[in-house]
PDB file of all heavy atoms in Angstrom:
ATOM      1  N   VAL A 283     229.311-146.028 142.059  1.00 96.00           N
ATOM      2  CA  VAL A 283     230.122-145.031 142.752  1.00 96.00           C
ATOM      3  C   VAL A 283     229.292-143.750 142.891  1.00 96.00           C
ATOM      4  O   VAL A 283     228.229-143.618 142.276  1.00 96.00           O
ATOM      5  CB  VAL A 283     231.428-144.723 141.990  1.00 96.00           C
ATOM      6  CG1 VAL A 283     232.274-145.976 141.839  1.00 96.00           C
ATOM      7  CG2 VAL A 283     231.123-144.104 140.625  1.00 96.00           C
ATOM      8  N   LYS A 364     234.781-146.753 125.203  1.00 98.00           N
ATOM      9  CA  LYS A 364     233.488-146.408 125.790  1.00 98.00           C
ATOM     10  C   LYS A 364     233.064-145.040 125.279  1.00 98.00           C
ATOM     11  O   LYS A 364     233.898-144.141 125.210  1.00 98.00           O
ATOM     12  CB  LYS A 364     233.619-146.396 127.322  1.00 98.00           C
ATOM     13  CG  LYS A 364     232.321-146.581 128.071  1.00 98.00           C
ATOM     14  CD  LYS A 364     231.817-145.298 128.641  1.00 98.00           C
ATOM     15  CE  LYS A 364     230.344-145.405 128.940  1.00 98.00           C
ATOM     16  NZ  LYS A 364     229.799-144.172 129.481  1.00 98.00           N
ATOM     17  N   PHE A 375     231.025-137.839 124.526  1.00 96.00           N
ATOM     18  CA  PHE A 375     232.237-138.161 125.285  1.00 96.00           C
ATOM     19  C   PHE A 375     232.790-139.492 124.785  1.00 96.00           C
ATOM     20  O   PHE A 375     232.051-140.481 124.690  1.00 96.00           O
ATOM     21  CB  PHE A 375     231.946-138.264 126.788  1.00 96.00           C
ATOM     22  CG  PHE A 375     233.137-138.740 127.562  1.00 96.00           C
ATOM     23  CD1 PHE A 375     234.202-137.878 127.814  1.00 96.00           C
ATOM     24  CD2 PHE A 375     233.237-140.054 127.980  1.00 96.00           C
ATOM     25  CE1 PHE A 375     235.336-138.318 128.478  1.00 96.00           C
ATOM     26  CE2 PHE A 375     234.361-140.508 128.652  1.00 96.00           C
ATOM     27  CZ  PHE A 375     235.405-139.640 128.904  1.00 96.00           C
ATOM     28  N   MET A 377     235.920-142.185 125.558  1.00 98.00           N
ATOM     29  CA  MET A 377     237.058-142.600 126.385  1.00 98.00           C
ATOM     30  C   MET A 377     237.921-143.565 125.583  1.00 98.00           C
ATOM     31  O   MET A 377     237.453-144.624 125.182  1.00 98.00           O
ATOM     32  CB  MET A 377     236.554-143.285 127.664  1.00 98.00           C
ATOM     33  CG  MET A 377     237.652-143.582 128.665  1.00 98.00           C
ATOM     34  SD  MET A 377     237.126-144.814 129.882  1.00 98.00           S
ATOM     35  CE  MET A 377     237.356-146.330 128.946  1.00 98.00           C
ATOM     36  N   ILE A 385     244.653-143.822 129.574  1.00 98.00           N
ATOM     37  CA  ILE A 385     243.245-143.637 129.233  1.00 98.00           C
ATOM     38  C   ILE A 385     243.064-142.146 129.014  1.00 98.00           C
ATOM     39  O   ILE A 385     243.558-141.332 129.801  1.00 98.00           O
ATOM     40  CB  ILE A 385     242.337-144.128 130.381  1.00 98.00           C
ATOM     41  CG1 ILE A 385     242.535-145.634 130.601  1.00 98.00           C
ATOM     42  CG2 ILE A 385     240.867-143.831 130.072  1.00 98.00           C
ATOM     43  CD1 ILE A 385     241.770-146.183 131.798  1.00 98.00           C
ATOM     44  N   ASP A 387     240.702-138.634 127.044  1.00 97.00           N
ATOM     45  CA  ASP A 387     239.479-138.050 126.487  1.00 97.00           C
ATOM     46  C   ASP A 387     239.748-137.760 125.009  1.00 97.00           C
ATOM     47  O   ASP A 387     240.496-136.837 124.687  1.00 97.00           O
ATOM     48  CB  ASP A 387     239.154-136.765 127.259  1.00 97.00           C
ATOM     49  CG  ASP A 387     238.075-135.924 126.601  1.00 97.00           C
ATOM     50  OD1 ASP A 387     237.289-136.464 125.800  1.00 97.00           O
ATOM     51  OD2 ASP A 387     238.018-134.716 126.899  1.00 97.00           O
ATOM     52  N   ILE A 394     243.164-139.102 131.262  1.00 98.00           N
ATOM     53  CA  ILE A 394     242.241-139.420 132.358  1.00 98.00           C
ATOM     54  C   ILE A 394     242.973-140.246 133.415  1.00 98.00           C
ATOM     55  O   ILE A 394     242.802-140.034 134.611  1.00 98.00           O
ATOM     56  CB  ILE A 394     241.000-140.159 131.811  1.00 98.00           C
ATOM     57  CG1 ILE A 394     240.229-139.225 130.867  1.00 98.00           C
ATOM     58  CG2 ILE A 394     240.121-140.684 132.942  1.00 98.00           C
ATOM     59  CD1 ILE A 394     239.099-139.885 130.108  1.00 98.00           C
ATOM     60  N   ALA A 395     243.805-141.192 132.990  1.00 98.00           N
ATOM     61  CA  ALA A 395     244.616-142.002 133.914  1.00 98.00           C
ATOM     62  C   ALA A 395     245.835-142.489 133.137  1.00 98.00           C
ATOM     63  O   ALA A 395     245.711-142.932 131.997  1.00 98.00           O
ATOM     64  CB  ALA A 395     243.818-143.180 134.456  1.00 98.00           C
ATOM     65  N   GLN A 406     238.531-151.002 136.120  1.00 98.00           N
ATOM     66  CA  GLN A 406     237.115-150.695 136.343  1.00 98.00           C
ATOM     67  C   GLN A 406     236.836-149.249 135.947  1.00 98.00           C
ATOM     68  O   GLN A 406     237.539-148.340 136.369  1.00 98.00           O
ATOM     69  CB  GLN A 406     236.747-150.907 137.814  1.00 98.00           C
ATOM     70  CG  GLN A 406     235.259-150.627 138.078  1.00 98.00           C
ATOM     71  CD  GLN A 406     234.890-150.805 139.542  1.00 98.00           C
ATOM     72  OE1 GLN A 406     235.552-151.526 140.283  1.00 98.00           O
ATOM     73  NE2 GLN A 406     233.820-150.146 139.944  1.00 98.00           N
ATOM     74  N   ILE A 407     235.798-149.073 135.134  1.00 98.00           N
ATOM     75  CA  ILE A 407     235.373-147.739 134.695  1.00 98.00           C
ATOM     76  C   ILE A 407     233.940-147.496 135.173  1.00 98.00           C
ATOM     77  O   ILE A 407     233.063-148.339 134.988  1.00 98.00           O
ATOM     78  CB  ILE A 407     235.402-147.628 133.155  1.00 98.00           C
ATOM     79  CG1 ILE A 407     236.819-147.839 132.604  1.00 98.00           C
ATOM     80  CG2 ILE A 407     234.815-146.281 132.689  1.00 98.00           C
ATOM     81  CD1 ILE A 407     237.827-146.786 133.013  1.00 98.00           C
ATOM     82  N   ASN A 408     233.716-146.357 135.795  1.00 98.00           N
ATOM     83  CA  ASN A 408     232.345-145.893 136.054  1.00 98.00           C
ATOM     84  C   ASN A 408     232.237-144.490 135.470  1.00 98.00           C
ATOM     85  O   ASN A 408     233.161-143.686 135.616  1.00 98.00           O
ATOM     86  CB  ASN A 408     232.050-145.821 137.556  1.00 98.00           C
ATOM     87  CG  ASN A 408     232.073-147.182 138.222  1.00 98.00           C
ATOM     88  OD1 ASN A 408     233.141-147.761 138.404  1.00 98.00           O
ATOM     89  ND2 ASN A 408     230.917-147.697 138.579  1.00 98.00           N
ATOM     90  N   THR A 409     231.129-144.198 134.811  1.00 98.00           N
ATOM     91  CA  THR A 409     230.858-142.826 134.387  1.00 98.00           C
ATOM     92  C   THR A 409     229.529-142.399 134.999  1.00 98.00           C
ATOM     93  O   THR A 409     228.589-143.201 135.078  1.00 98.00           O
ATOM     94  CB  THR A 409     230.800-142.689 132.854  1.00 98.00           C
ATOM     95  OG1 THR A 409     229.749-143.514 132.331  1.00 98.00           O
ATOM     96  CG2 THR A 409     232.116-143.075 132.199  1.00 98.00           C
ATOM     97  N   VAL A 410     229.484-141.166 135.467  1.00 98.00           N
ATOM     98  CA  VAL A 410     228.243-140.614 136.035  1.00 98.00           C
ATOM     99  C   VAL A 410     227.896-139.354 135.259  1.00 98.00           C
ATOM    100  O   VAL A 410     228.643-138.373 135.294  1.00 98.00           O
ATOM    101  CB  VAL A 410     228.395-140.303 137.538  1.00 98.00           C
ATOM    102  CG1 VAL A 410     227.116-139.641 138.062  1.00 98.00           C
ATOM    103  CG2 VAL A 410     228.703-141.572 138.328  1.00 98.00           C
ATOM    104  N   HIS A 411     226.796-139.405 134.532  1.00 98.00           N
ATOM    105  CA  HIS A 411     226.324-138.266 133.741  1.00 98.00           C
ATOM    106  C   HIS A 411     225.080-137.706 134.411  1.00 98.00           C
ATOM    107  O   HIS A 411     224.037-138.358 134.429  1.00 98.00           O
ATOM    108  CB  HIS A 411     226.022-138.728 132.315  1.00 98.00           C
ATOM    109  CG  HIS A 411     225.569-137.627 131.404  1.00 98.00           C
ATOM    110  ND1 HIS A 411     225.168-137.857 130.112  1.00 98.00           N
ATOM    111  CD2 HIS A 411     225.457-136.285 131.596  1.00 98.00           C
ATOM    112  CE1 HIS A 411     224.827-136.695 129.549  1.00 98.00           C
ATOM    113  NE2 HIS A 411     224.995-135.730 130.437  1.00 98.00           N
ATOM    114  N   TYR A 418     229.648-134.496 133.805  1.00 98.00           N
ATOM    115  CA  TYR A 418     230.023-135.862 133.431  1.00 98.00           C
ATOM    116  C   TYR A 418     231.332-136.193 134.145  1.00 98.00           C
ATOM    117  O   TYR A 418     232.315-135.465 134.014  1.00 98.00           O
ATOM    118  CB  TYR A 418     230.205-135.932 131.910  1.00 98.00           C
ATOM    119  CG  TYR A 418     230.290-137.321 131.346  1.00 98.00           C
ATOM    120  CD1 TYR A 418     229.166-137.934 130.802  1.00 98.00           C
ATOM    121  CD2 TYR A 418     231.496-138.019 131.343  1.00 98.00           C
ATOM    122  CE1 TYR A 418     229.239-139.214 130.272  1.00 98.00           C
ATOM    123  CE2 TYR A 418     231.564-139.304 130.814  1.00 98.00           C
ATOM    124  CZ  TYR A 418     230.433-139.890 130.273  1.00 98.00           C
ATOM    125  OH  TYR A 418     230.498-141.155 129.751  1.00 98.00           O
ATOM    126  N   VAL A 419     231.333-137.282 134.928  1.00 98.00           N
ATOM    127  CA  VAL A 419     232.498-137.650 135.730  1.00 98.00           C
ATOM    128  C   VAL A 419     232.918-139.077 135.385  1.00 98.00           C
ATOM    129  O   VAL A 419     232.061-139.964 135.250  1.00 98.00           O
ATOM    130  CB  VAL A 419     232.195-137.547 137.245  1.00 98.00           C
ATOM    131  CG1 VAL A 419     233.432-137.867 138.075  1.00 98.00           C
ATOM    132  CG2 VAL A 419     231.657-136.161 137.599  1.00 98.00           C
ATOM    133  N   VAL A 420     234.227-139.294 135.214  1.00 98.00           N
ATOM    134  CA  VAL A 420     234.768-140.625 134.931  1.00 98.00           C
ATOM    135  C   VAL A 420     235.564-141.096 136.147  1.00 98.00           C
ATOM    136  O   VAL A 420     236.425-140.363 136.655  1.00 98.00           O
ATOM    137  CB  VAL A 420     235.693-140.603 133.694  1.00 98.00           C
ATOM    138  CG1 VAL A 420     236.236-142.007 133.409  1.00 98.00           C
ATOM    139  CG2 VAL A 420     234.963-140.049 132.483  1.00 98.00           C
ATOM    140  N   TYR A 421     235.265-142.312 136.628  1.00 98.00           N
ATOM    141  CA  TYR A 421     235.993-142.939 137.732  1.00 98.00           C
ATOM    142  C   TYR A 421     236.811-144.097 137.162  1.00 98.00           C
ATOM    143  O   TYR A 421     236.279-144.929 136.424  1.00 98.00           O
ATOM    144  CB  TYR A 421     235.038-143.493 138.783  1.00 98.00           C
ATOM    145  CG  TYR A 421     234.189-142.454 139.493  1.00 98.00           C
ATOM    146  CD1 TYR A 421     233.083-141.878 138.859  1.00 98.00           C
ATOM    147  CD2 TYR A 421     234.475-142.057 140.801  1.00 98.00           C
ATOM    148  CE1 TYR A 421     232.303-140.930 139.514  1.00 98.00           C
ATOM    149  CE2 TYR A 421     233.693-141.109 141.463  1.00 98.00           C
ATOM    150  CZ  TYR A 421     232.614-140.555 140.811  1.00 98.00           C
ATOM    151  OH  TYR A 421     231.838-139.617 141.459  1.00 98.00           O
ATOM    152  N   VAL A 422     238.098-144.135 137.504  1.00 98.00           N
ATOM    153  CA  VAL A 422     238.969-145.234 137.085  1.00 98.00           C
ATOM    154  C   VAL A 422     239.374-145.999 138.335  1.00 98.00           C
ATOM    155  O   VAL A 422     239.933-145.407 139.269  1.00 98.00           O
ATOM    156  CB  VAL A 422     240.219-144.704 136.352  1.00 98.00           C
ATOM    157  CG1 VAL A 422     241.149-145.861 135.969  1.00 98.00           C
ATOM    158  CG2 VAL A 422     239.810-143.910 135.108  1.00 98.00           C
ATOM    159  N   ASN A 423     239.065-147.276 138.376  1.00 97.00           N
ATOM    160  CA  ASN A 423     239.306-148.117 139.563  1.00 97.00           C
ATOM    161  C   ASN A 423     238.759-147.455 140.824  1.00 97.00           C
ATOM    162  O   ASN A 423     239.386-147.481 141.882  1.00 97.00           O
ATOM    163  CB  ASN A 423     240.809-148.420 139.700  1.00 97.00           C
ATOM    164  CG  ASN A 423     241.287-149.346 138.598  1.00 97.00           C
ATOM    165  OD1 ASN A 423     240.532-150.165 138.091  1.00 97.00           O
ATOM    166  ND2 ASN A 423     242.554-149.202 138.206  1.00 97.00           N
ATOM    167  N   GLY A 424     237.582-146.859 140.695  1.00 96.00           N
ATOM    168  CA  GLY A 424     236.912-146.256 141.844  1.00 96.00           C
ATOM    169  C   GLY A 424     237.355-144.850 142.174  1.00 96.00           C
ATOM    170  O   GLY A 424     236.770-144.205 143.034  1.00 96.00           O
ATOM    171  N   ASN A 425     238.399-144.370 141.507  1.00 96.00           N
ATOM    172  CA  ASN A 425     238.905-143.011 141.752  1.00 96.00           C
ATOM    173  C   ASN A 425     238.280-142.025 140.785  1.00 96.00           C
ATOM    174  O   ASN A 425     238.331-142.243 139.567  1.00 96.00           O
ATOM    175  CB  ASN A 425     240.428-142.962 141.518  1.00 96.00           C
ATOM    176  CG  ASN A 425     241.208-143.232 142.774  1.00 96.00           C
ATOM    177  OD1 ASN A 425     240.653-143.458 143.838  1.00 96.00           O
ATOM    178  ND2 ASN A 425     242.523-143.184 142.630  1.00 96.00           N
ATOM    179  N   GLU A 426     237.780-140.921 141.313  1.00 98.00           N
ATOM    180  CA  GLU A 426     237.278-139.859 140.451  1.00 98.00           C
ATOM    181  C   GLU A 426     238.466-139.272 139.685  1.00 98.00           C
ATOM    182  O   GLU A 426     239.380-138.712 140.281  1.00 98.00           O
ATOM    183  CB  GLU A 426     236.611-138.790 141.329  1.00 98.00           C
ATOM    184  CG  GLU A 426     235.899-137.736 140.525  1.00 98.00           C
ATOM    185  CD  GLU A 426     235.135-136.752 141.406  1.00 98.00           C
ATOM    186  OE1 GLU A 426     234.611-137.166 142.462  1.00 98.00           O
ATOM    187  OE2 GLU A 426     235.085-135.575 141.031  1.00 98.00           O
ATOM    188  N   SER A 427     238.482-139.439 138.343  1.00 98.00           N
ATOM    189  CA  SER A 427     239.680-139.135 137.566  1.00 98.00           C
ATOM    190  C   SER A 427     239.507-138.025 136.554  1.00 98.00           C
ATOM    191  O   SER A 427     240.501-137.479 136.060  1.00 98.00           O
ATOM    192  CB  SER A 427     240.134-140.400 136.812  1.00 98.00           C
ATOM    193  OG  SER A 427     240.401-141.433 137.727  1.00 98.00           O
ATOM    194  N   PHE A 428     238.272-137.695 136.194  1.00 98.00           N
ATOM    195  CA  PHE A 428     238.058-136.712 135.126  1.00 98.00           C
ATOM    196  C   PHE A 428     236.643-136.169 135.229  1.00 98.00           C
ATOM    197  O   PHE A 428     235.703-136.927 135.465  1.00 98.00           O
ATOM    198  CB  PHE A 428     238.240-137.402 133.765  1.00 98.00           C
ATOM    199  CG  PHE A 428     238.082-136.509 132.573  1.00 98.00           C
ATOM    200  CD1 PHE A 428     239.057-135.583 132.232  1.00 98.00           C
ATOM    201  CD2 PHE A 428     236.942-136.591 131.778  1.00 98.00           C
ATOM    202  CE1 PHE A 428     238.908-134.759 131.125  1.00 98.00           C
ATOM    203  CE2 PHE A 428     236.787-135.781 130.659  1.00 98.00           C
ATOM    204  CZ  PHE A 428     237.777-134.857 130.333  1.00 98.00           C
ATOM    205  N   THR A 429     236.519-134.847 135.077  1.00 98.00           N
ATOM    206  CA  THR A 429     235.201-134.206 135.099  1.00 98.00           C
ATOM    207  C   THR A 429     235.101-133.259 133.917  1.00 98.00           C
ATOM    208  O   THR A 429     236.063-132.542 133.618  1.00 98.00           O
ATOM    209  CB  THR A 429     235.001-133.405 136.405  1.00 98.00           C
ATOM    210  OG1 THR A 429     235.156-134.287 137.507  1.00 98.00           O
ATOM    211  CG2 THR A 429     233.608-132.785 136.457  1.00 98.00           C
ATOM    212  N   THR A 430     233.967-133.262 133.242  1.00 96.00           N
ATOM    213  CA  THR A 430     233.765-132.323 132.151  1.00 96.00           C
ATOM    214  C   THR A 430     232.308-131.884 132.150  1.00 96.00           C
ATOM    215  O   THR A 430     231.473-132.470 132.846  1.00 96.00           O
ATOM    216  CB  THR A 430     234.184-132.948 130.794  1.00 96.00           C
ATOM    217  OG1 THR A 430     234.134-131.952 129.771  1.00 96.00           O
ATOM    218  CG2 THR A 430     233.309-134.112 130.414  1.00 96.00           C
TER     219      THR A 430
END
Side-chain angles (χ1 to χ4, degrees):
V283 300
K364 202 256 160 181
F375 174 76
M377 188 198 80
I385 297 175
D387 168 21
I394 296 172
Q406 181 181 336
I407 299 295
N408 295 73
T409 61
V410 176
H411 182 184
Y418 193 97
V419 183
V420 181
Y421 296 76
V422 178
N423 291 330
N425 269 0
E426 188 175 326
S427 301
F428 181 73
T429 302
T430 187

